[in-house]
Amino acid sequence: MPLITTEAQLAEFSLAPGFRASSTACGLKKSGSRDLLMLWADEPCAAAGVFTTNRVQAAPVLVDRDALASAAGRIRGVVANSGCANAVTGERGMTDAMRMQAVAAAAVQAKPEEMLVLSTGVIGVFLDMDKLKRGIATLHGGGTAASSTHADAARAICTTDTRAKVASATVALSGGRVTIAGFAKGAGMIHPNMATMLGVITTDAAISPEALDRALRAAVSESFNRISVDGDMSTNDTVLVLASGLVGCVAADEAAFTAALAAVCKDLARQIARDGEGATRLVELRITGAASEPQAHRVGDSIACSPLVKTAIHGNDPNWGRILAAAGYSGAEIDPARVRLWFGDADDVQLLDRGLPVAFDAARASALLQNDPCVIHLDLGLGEASATVWTCDFSAEYVRINADYTT
Amino acid sequence: MPLITTEAQLAEFSLAPGFRASSTACGLKKSGSRDLLMLWADEPCAAAGVFTTNRVQAAPVLVDRDALASAAGRIRGVVANSGCANAVTGERGMTDAMRMQAVAAAAVQAKPEEMLVLSTGVIGVFLDMDKLKRGIATLHGGGTAASSTHADAARAICTTDTRAKVASATVALSGGRVTIAGFAKGAGMIHPNMATMLGVITTDAAISPEALDRALRAAVSESFNRISVDGDMSTNDTVLVLASGLVGCVAADEAAFTAALAAVCKDLARQIARDGEGATRLVELRITGAASEPQAHRVGDSIACSPLVKTAIHGNDPNWGRILAAAGYSGAEIDPARVRLWFGDADDVQLLDRGLPVAFDAARASALLQNDPCVIHLDLGLGEASATVWTCDFSAEYVRINADYTT
């Protein structure tokens, strides 16, 4: 599974059959970069979404929840902007998000509730509706400023991302070979245990909204909900999946479809963690021997959020005591006398054996921390459950990026 | 209340009447800095302690819990080392901590269980017992290498601290004027909701171990448990208080004594947050209008741990959306439509009014973030409960300090 999307992969990227896309720069980003996109199908789609569990939810999150509740079987598309999150904007923010939805829906002859809305960028700023409406007008009509490549759509959703993130998979089901293809954005304000950041995934499978919802929740639980960049949960996190229904998908294939969807979600999630603000490598935390999977996840999450662990990895410093300390304060069940710890994809160097420090080759341990991905394996010695969590190292560049974002 | 201990204050610092101290450099720190101290009374003391809630607990924490359980009314003193945490060291670590306790106890003709032990430094490294025993031998006998000033004892407990931290107070009780004086250390691996870092407080009050324990728990809950540097909870966190009993303290004065103890604890806790690794200022988060005090604490804790909030403050960037996002994912009850937010000690600039962004003077807001302490006031609009939490800004220097600590 790749850690980044190369330019060559991006150039070849295509959404699932049945979907079109258009994107432009409508002026929301001061940089003049691409900041608006729409993707849509000509026929109604089944759709499902998972959203942030933050108590402070952005207007587009509230709008999408309503739309899916009323029209999950006949969604036509998604309109998305970067450069402004439309979060903590009160009633005016809700009105703006609904206008954005209605204008985009009208462009494809759909009803407002058949269009989903995504926004990402600075919190507490109102959308510039004039720029947005002018931008949407160029998207579907094919204004000269708009691009119809799916790669450009993936680029238009990005903010502090250093690169666009796309992923796709095909899976042979009884009704035919189904494609699952999507893109995501996110580099800061990324934290597990939620429906994280922005992701849009398309498929040509014929599937009911209910089955699609089940598949998405299962896929997200082991992908987007298993990554952390900085422990900060966003107000806008959303992952949407739209199914155009061109290829038959029978109920008996749900497990195979879910597995393929999970692979695409995991691919995108790992790319997000790898592209974490200021990150120089992906960190894969394998927690095994836990009493239960939620306990394993909790331990991995705690380590993934520890600034001390993440700075040590950045410095190639095998200061493993910080990993133990983070496991210890996770709230999960831990018996220090049973814990074992290794660095490396093949458990190459052992640092701790049943609670006791192991004499290890510091140079070799340090070299393993420099791998991308850098793999850390913690066995709790309590049971059979496991979970893998992805994060990134923590660099001074993270501070530089975030100390001066709005000003 | 001062944010730092000046050199002049340190030179004048004295423990409470009845206590002596001695410190030296025994060689545990490669730098050759002071790394060993003992403080003791000639008569048995009442003592109480609060300890880390991390599931991984260092050997000295386990030893002290036992000692307080068996001899809380006749503790003679404390022996402490920096440069090695004696944590995640298994049975050998326990044996080493008990030897350290016994050697120090013998030096003052006490039983082992009448001496408390503190260790701080790198996790997963065994204590060098030869150096430690040679060092302790010089402490009480008054070897030429040892210093008997209380300021040097406060210095000997430090690790990445940029300065020693002392605080004292006196309070008039019915039995006479009582002194409370102590020191603390801590700059990294600091997080609320525990008995945090290392602190040793002495008093000449005559008080039972039970009353002292109550007073300490009450004092810690609004001081050491209200600070965070990096969200990382240590394996060694301990605060001890010893009472020599020279001045009468009747039960009726417990509230006054507790208030004075809380003032000393708060003074030390603020100094720790201000001296957070890489910090350039103290950040005071005033959470009001909460449904309950635990909810207010939870919101403040969540904001105090947000790398995005802390980097924004470091960059003097009034990017207040990050504060709202952190409050939103705290798990506490939040109604976005009731929230109000101000910067400044006197609510100088309002940024949010009942959920809606307020047009504000960005230059003035930015200037307020540069204050030391920098004050942020979030009113949840839900009830009457409040809590104040202290943290620090997050700089690239934090990463530099922590990316290369053991190597």
Side-chain angles (χ1 to χ4, degrees):
Chain A
M1 210 175 272
L3 291 181
I4 60 162
T5 297
T6 64
E7 283 303 311
Q9 286 167 329
L10 193 59
E12 286 171 13
F13 173 70
S14 183
L15 294 168
F19 291 94
R20 291 195 271 169
S22 181
S23 62
T24 191
C26 74
L28 293 176
K29 280 184 183 161
K30 285 177 197 153
S31 64
S33 301
R34 213 164 276 278
D35 55 14
L36 180 65
L37 76 102
M38 193 161 76
L39 68 86
W40 69 96
D42 288 329
E43 300 299 324
C45 298
V50 284
F51 302 94
T52 181
T53 56
N54 197 308
R55 296 276 182 124
V56 179
Q57 306 207 333
V61 169
L62 301 173
V63 166
D64 287 356
R65 285 184 189 281
D66 281 352
L68 286 173
S70 67
R74 47 188 167 84
I75 294 294
R76 285 288 304 285
V78 179
V79 60
N81 75 273
S82 51
C84 170
N86 193 13
V88 198
T89 45
E91 281 304 315
R92 180 171 154 192
M94 283 301 291
T95 305
D96 289 345
M98 289 189 287
R99 288 282 296 284
M100 180 174 169
Q101 178 187 38
V103 170
V108 295
Q109 284 84 48
K111 291 180 189 163
E113 68 270 22
E114 294 169 355
M115 183 63 63
L116 300 172
V117 183
L118 300 172
S119 294
T120 179
V122 183
I123 296 174
V125 173
F126 295 111
L127 275 174
D128 186 324
M129 292 305 292
D130 288 336
K131 288 179 180 171
L132 200 69
K133 284 188 280 184
R134 277 199 301 270
I136 293 173
T138 71
L139 289 182
H140 186 246
T144 52
S147 159
S148 61
T149 76
H150 298 183
D152 278 341
R155 288 187 182 103
I157 206 174
C158 295
T159 54
T160 56
D161 308 67
T162 67
R163 55 183 74 236
K165 298 163 183 77
V166 304
S168 54
T170 64
V171 55
L173 303 183
S174 51
R177 182 163 284 275
V178 158
T179 297
I180 300 172
F183 53 80
K185 66 82 53 175
M189 223 183 243
I190 302 291
H191 184 67
N193 270 330
M194 45 150 192
T196 188
M197 33 51 24
L198 301 188
V200 183
I201 298 163
T202 59
T203 176
D204 50 0
I207 186 169
S208 72
E210 295 73 26
L212 194 59
D213 187 67
R214 277 194 302 273
L216 180 62
R217 282 171 200 285
V220 165
S221 73
E222 58 181 85
S223 57
F224 294 115
N225 281 358
R226 289 287 168 81
I227 59 171
S228 178
V229 168
D230 50 16
D232 269 299
M233 188 195 294
S234 161
T235 50
N236 290 54
D237 303 326
T238 302
V239 179
L240 301 173
V241 54
L242 276 65
S244 64
L246 301 182
V247 179
C249 169
V250 296
D253 290 325
E254 194 174 319
F257 177 80
T258 299
L261 182 62
V264 170
C265 288
K266 196 177 285 188
D267 188 344
L268 292 172
R270 282 163 48 104
Q271 291 188 54
I272 287 173
R274 175 61 185 85
D275 197 27
E277 289 169 348
T280 70
R281 72 204 71 162
L282 181 74
V283 178
E284 180 167 313
L285 300 167
R286 298 175 185 164
I287 314 301
T288 60
S292 69
E293 202 211 319
Q295 295 255 313
H297 186 186
R298 197 164 179 173
V299 168
D301 189 8
S302 186
I303 298 168
C305 289
S306 161
L308 288 174
V309 171
K310 290 152 69 90
T311 48
I313 292 170
H314 182 67
N316 312 316
D317 180 357
N319 193 344
W320 57 264
R322 295 177 179 180
I323 298 170
L324 265 285
Y329 66 69
S330 66
E333 196 185 332
I334 301 278
D335 178 352
R338 290 169 179 242
V339 169
R340 295 183 296 168
L341 180 71
W342 298 266
F343 288 173
D345 187 41
D347 290 349
D348 303 278
V349 167
Q350 185 168 13
L351 300 109
L352 196 65
D353 188 29
R354 293 186 175 74
L356 279 178
V358 174
F360 64 90
D361 179 340
R364 197 155 162 246
S366 178
L368 288 168
L369 291 181
Q370 295 176 55
N371 285 347
D372 185 17
C374 152
V375 177
I376 294 173
H377 176 195
L378 182 69
D379 187 276
L380 302 179
L382 296 174
E384 297 298 313
S386 65
T388 298
V389 172
W390 294 277
T391 184
C392 54
D393 61 334
F394 204 165
S395 71
E397 187 63 20
Y398 177 91
V399 177
R400 275 188 289 274
I401 291 167
N402 283 299
D404 195 24
Y405 181 61
T406 63
T407 52
Chain B
M1 212 175 272
L3 291 182
I4 60 164
T5 297
T6 64
E7 283 302 312
Q9 286 167 330
L10 193 59
E12 287 172 13
F13 173 70
S14 182
L15 294 167
F19 291 94
R20 290 195 273 169
S22 181
S23 62
T24 190
C26 75
L28 294 176
K29 280 183 181 162
K30 287 178 197 153
S31 65
S33 300
R34 212 165 277 277
D35 54 14
L36 181 65
L37 76 103
M38 193 162 74
L39 67 85
W40 69 97
D42 289 329
E43 301 297 325
C45 298
V50 285
F51 302 94
T52 181
T53 57
N54 197 309
R55 296 276 183 124
V56 179
Q57 304 206 334
V61 169
L62 301 173
V63 166
D64 287 357
R65 284 183 190 282
D66 279 352
L68 287 173
S70 68
R74 46 187 170 85
I75 294 295
R76 286 287 304 284
V78 178
V79 60
N81 76 274
S82 51
C84 170
N86 193 12
V88 199
T89 46
E91 281 305 314
R92 179 169 156 193
M94 282 301 291
T95 307
D96 289 346
M98 287 188 289
R99 289 282 295 283
M100 181 174 168
Q101 178 189 39
V103 171
V108 295
Q109 286 84 48
K111 294 181 186 160
E113 68 269 23
E114 295 170 354
M115 184 64 63
L116 300 172
V117 183
L118 299 173
S119 293
T120 178
V122 183
I123 296 174
V125 173
F126 294 112
L127 274 174
D128 186 324
M129 292 305 293
D130 289 337
K131 288 179 179 171
L132 200 68
K133 283 187 281 185
R134 276 201 300 271
I136 293 172
T138 70
L139 287 182
H140 186 246
T144 51
S147 159
S148 62
T149 76
H150 298 185
D152 278 341
R155 287 187 183 102
I157 206 175
C158 294
T159 54
T160 55
D161 308 67
T162 67
R163 57 184 73 237
K165 299 163 183 75
V166 304
S168 54
T170 64
V171 55
L173 305 182
S174 49
R177 181 164 285 274
V178 158
T179 298
I180 300 171
F183 52 82
K185 66 82 52 175
M189 222 181 245
I190 301 292
H191 184 68
N193 270 330
M194 46 149 190
T196 188
M197 35 41 40
L198 301 187
V200 182
I201 298 163
T202 59
T203 175
D204 50 0
I207 185 169
S208 72
E210 296 73 26
L212 194 58
D213 187 67
R214 275 196 301 273
L216 180 62
R217 282 171 200 285
V220 165
S221 74
E222 58 182 86
S223 58
F224 294 115
N225 280 358
R226 290 287 168 81
I227 60 171
S228 178
V229 168
D230 51 16
D232 269 298
M233 188 195 293
S234 162
T235 50
N236 291 53
D237 302 326
T238 302
V239 179
L240 301 172
V241 55
L242 275 64
S244 64
L246 300 183
V247 179
C249 168
V250 296
D253 290 325
E254 195 175 318
F257 177 80
T258 300
L261 182 62
V264 170
C265 288
K266 196 176 285 188
D267 189 344
L268 291 172
R270 282 165 47 107
Q271 291 187 53
I272 287 174
R274 175 62 185 84
D275 198 28
E277 288 170 346
T280 69
R281 71 204 72 163
L282 182 74
V283 177
E284 180 167 313
L285 300 168
R286 299 177 185 163
I287 314 300
T288 60
S292 70
E293 203 211 319
Q295 295 257 311
H297 185 185
R298 195 164 182 175
V299 168
D301 189 9
S302 185
I303 298 169
C305 289
S306 162
L308 288 174
V309 170
K310 291 153 67 94
T311 49
I313 292 169
H314 182 67
N316 312 315
D317 179 357
N319 192 345
W320 57 264
R322 295 176 178 180
I323 299 170
L324 265 285
Y329 66 68
S330 66
E333 195 184 335
I334 302 278
D335 178 352
R338 289 169 180 243
V339 169
R340 294 184 297 168
L341 180 71
W342 298 265
F343 289 173
D345 187 43
D347 290 349
D348 303 279
V349 167
Q350 185 167 14
L351 300 109
L352 195 66
D353 188 30
R354 294 185 173 76
L356 278 178
V358 174
F360 65 90
D361 179 341
R364 197 155 162 242
S366 178
L368 289 167
L369 291 181
Q370 295 176 55
N371 286 348
D372 187 15
C374 151
V375 177
I376 293 173
H377 175 196
L378 182 69
D379 187 276
L380 303 179
L382 296 173
E384 296 298 314
S386 65
T388 298
V389 172
W390 294 277
T391 184
C392 54
D393 60 336
F394 203 166
S395 72
E397 187 62 19
Y398 176 91
V399 178
R400 276 187 288 273
I401 291 167
N402 283 300
D404 195 25
Y405 181 59
T406 61
T407 53

